[in-house]
Amino acid sequence: MFSSYSLLESFRKGCGSLISNYWKEKDLFFESKDSSVFKSDFQSYIEKSKTKKGAVFFAVMRGKLAEGLDLEADTCRAMILIGVPYLAIKSKKTQAKKAFLDSQLGK
């Protein structure tokens, strides 16, 4: 899973041929920004993941695959996080939210 669509696309463009050669035994799927194609892409991934060949799905954290899907048994054997999106703790927005929560929780 990638921290953003731009990081996923950079990976796909920069390493696409390397990944394709390395994983030629697997079917590769990449999450699209376009919601209209996600359902069919993910259904194809589910079907391919249950075959002997298997499949790999590259997705974005907090993207369309993030919540509400049950990835059971052969559908998901492992997950690798690339570019974990940590909060910018020094940003004004984060500081304001922290101050607000502290005031509400009595800290």
Side-chain angles (χ1 to χ4, degrees):
M1 295 196 95
F2 293 83
S3 58
S4 67
Y5 285 104
S6 60
L7 187 58
L8 174 62
E9 275 306 307
S10 294
F11 172 80
R12 185 178 188 170
K13 289 177 182 173
C15 300
S17 60
L18 175 68
I19 294 296
S20 296
N21 290 333
Y22 183 73
W23 288 99
K24 56 182 144 187
E25 299 116 34
K26 304 280 182 195
D27 287 309
L28 303 180
F29 295 89
F30 291 85
E31 180 180 352
S32 171
K33 277 186 174 181
D34 185 354
S35 298
S36 65
V37 297
F38 174 75
K39 192 172 184 176
S40 63
D41 284 352
F42 190 68
Q43 189 58 43
S44 297
Y45 163 74
I46 295 289
E47 291 168 11
K48 297 289 185 175
S49 71
K50 294 178 181 178
T51 66
K52 194 168 193 128
K53 183 178 179 183
V56 177
F57 196 95
F58 296 93
V60 174
M61 288 180 277
R62 297 186 301 260
K64 293 165 207 68
L65 190 65
E67 295 182 25
L69 296 173
D70 186 13
L71 301 173
E72 61 184 22
D74 291 334
T75 308
C76 184
R77 291 288 188 184
M79 183 178 296
I80 301 168
L81 298 178
I82 299 173
V84 178
Y86 292 110
L87 279 177
I89 60 172
K90 301 286 184 182
S91 77
K92 290 180 182 180
K93 184 177 179 182
T94 303
Q95 291 295 317
K97 185 173 183 178
K98 183 181 181 311
F100 171 76
L101 292 173
D102 286 347
S103 71
Q104 295 298 307
L105 299 172
K107 289 188 175 186

